[in-house]
Amino acid sequence: MMSLFYRLPLLGIALLTAVALTGCESKSKREFNAGCQSGGTDRSTCSCVYDQLEAHYSPTVMQKLSEQNVSHLDLPTDFGEQMVRAAQYCQSR
């Protein structure tokens, strides 16, 4: 469980920079999942974390986050906290 917490900054960046996968999910979710999985987390947990973040922020906000330039991130002030909460929830189910 702790290993995911060490990767949280990478997960946030992955949302913005990962290579898109094919499928019926939104592009931002595919990118997030690809980056998350590249950090060693299973697809189910990655998808759950994204869904929790999307439920908190909205699909529109998540899409805007995925379109940001990595060198100029403008994350919501509580993004880190929400990421931790989502990861805890998803790993405990």
Side-chain angles (χ1 to χ4, degrees), residues 74-86:
D74 184 22
L75 298 173
T77 57
D78 67 339
F79 189 81
E81 177 185 347
Q82 293 305 318
M83 179 78 80
V84 169
R85 285 183 183 180

Side-chain angles (χ1 to χ4, degrees), residues 57-74:
Y57 293 114
S58 82
T60 303
V61 169
M62 295 303 286
Q63 179 61 39
K64 287 180 181 177
L65 290 175
S66 73
E67 295 169 355
Q68 290 185 20
N69 185 319
V70 176
S71 63
H72 297 94
L73 293 178
D74 184 22

